């Protein structure tokens, strides 16, 4: 059963934020709640490359990864309304950010560094976190990226509360934003 908000959504909803903020998990639940398709840009990159997103990043470097990510995101936002989870760095690209600003509703999932460190520590799939102190690296990324993420249309705090609470917060913010 689609949410009453769904018929007012005329563009993709794109989740942005640091790794571990919950973009994929919350995105899946949000899409289900709204009766919309869900897509994860990292999975699309992996599908196109025949490698995991982390393997693409490691094998070809960050610049090549970001180029592929930019092309994938541009393709995804040109399709019907859906929920899209992006990689943590996608929104940092000026061209991608401009495209998302014009063609989508961007939702920044803002999570405290301690929460991000705990969540990302569960699996070793993040190339940027393999070297050094996880929490320190995340704090540096947060400080550098926060001014860019603040440009998203909506900001939702994603801390230790249940993902369902975050989904409801997004729905409420979307209702306000679209009215």
């Amino acid at each position: 059963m689609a949410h009453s908000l769904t018929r007012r959504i005329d563009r993709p909803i794109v989740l942005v934020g640091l790794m571990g903020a919950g973009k994929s998990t919350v995105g899946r639940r949000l899409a289900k709640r709204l009766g919309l398709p869900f897509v994860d840009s990292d999975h699309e990159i992996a599908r196109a490359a025949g490698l995991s997103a982390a393997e693409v990043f490691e094998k070809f470097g960050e610049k090549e990864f970001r180029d592929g990510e930019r092309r994938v995101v541009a393709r995804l936002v040109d399709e019907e309304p859906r929920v899209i989870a992006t990689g943590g760095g996608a929104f940092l690209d000026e061209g991608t950010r401009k495209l998302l600003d014009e063609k989508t509703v961007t939702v920044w999932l803002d999570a405290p560094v301690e929460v991000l460190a705990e969540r990302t520590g569960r699996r070793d799939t993040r190339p940027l976190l393999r070297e050094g102190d996880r929490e320190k690296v995340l704090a540096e990324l947060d400080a550098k990226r926060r001014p860019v993420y603040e440009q998203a249309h909506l900001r939702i705090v994603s801390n230790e509360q249940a993902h369902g609470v975050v989904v409801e917060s997004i729905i409420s913010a979307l209702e306000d934003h679209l009215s």
Side-chain angles (χ1 to χ4, degrees):
M1 171 76 186
H3 194 278
S4 62
L5 171 66
T6 306
R7 66 179 171 274
R8 295 200 337 252
I9 296 173
D10 64 348
R11 56 190 49 214
I13 298 162
V14 178
L15 304 182
V16 303
L18 280 171
M19 58 190 104
K23 298 179 301 289
S24 296
T25 305
V26 168
R28 264 187 221 91
R29 289 178 180 213
L30 178 64
K32 185 175 183 187
R33 183 90 162 68
L34 294 173
L36 293 172
F38 170 77
V39 66
D40 184 309
S41 68
D42 279 353
H43 292 160
E44 291 299 303
I45 291 165
R47 203 163 57 90
L51 300 166
S52 74
E55 289 167 336
V56 172
F57 195 98
E58 289 170 352
K59 188 171 183 174
F60 300 106
E62 186 169 6
K63 184 186 179 314
E64 193 69 29
F65 178 84
R66 297 292 173 215
D67 288 345
E69 183 175 58
R70 185 180 312 109
R71 289 189 302 273
V72 164
V73 170
R75 177 177 56 78
L76 294 176
V77 301
D78 264 348
E79 296 175 15
E80 76 274 357
R82 55 178 52 199
V83 176
I84 303 169
T86 60
F91 199 63
L92 303 179
D93 179 83
E94 195 173 333
T96 299
R97 191 168 57 254
K98 185 176 186 306
L99 179 74
L100 294 177
D101 187 51
E102 293 168 0
K103 292 190 165 196
T104 75
V105 176
T106 51
V107 180
W108 171 31
L109 293 185
D110 182 11
V113 169
E114 311 74 58
V115 172
L116 298 172
E118 191 275 319
R119 289 179 183 165
T120 58
R122 296 176 192 161
R123 292 192 317 268
D124 182 30
T125 57
R126 322 255 182 186
L128 292 176
L129 296 181
R130 293 218 174 110
E131 306 296 320
D133 179 273
R134 174 181 307 280
E135 199 161 323
K136 183 173 182 273
V137 171
L138 285 163
E140 289 166 2
L141 286 170
D142 182 62
K144 187 166 78 178
R145 294 178 177 186
R146 181 165 287 275
V148 178
Y149 291 145
E150 286 173 345
Q151 296 174 46
H153 297 116
L154 305 172
R155 174 183 173 255
I156 301 295
V157 175
S158 169
N159 49 38
E160 284 124 352
Q161 78 267 47
H163 291 303
V165 174
V166 177
V167 168
E168 292 309 315
S169 297
I170 294 170
I171 287 173
S172 177
L174 283 169
E175 285 173 335
D176 291 345
H177 183 76
L178 295 173
S179 51

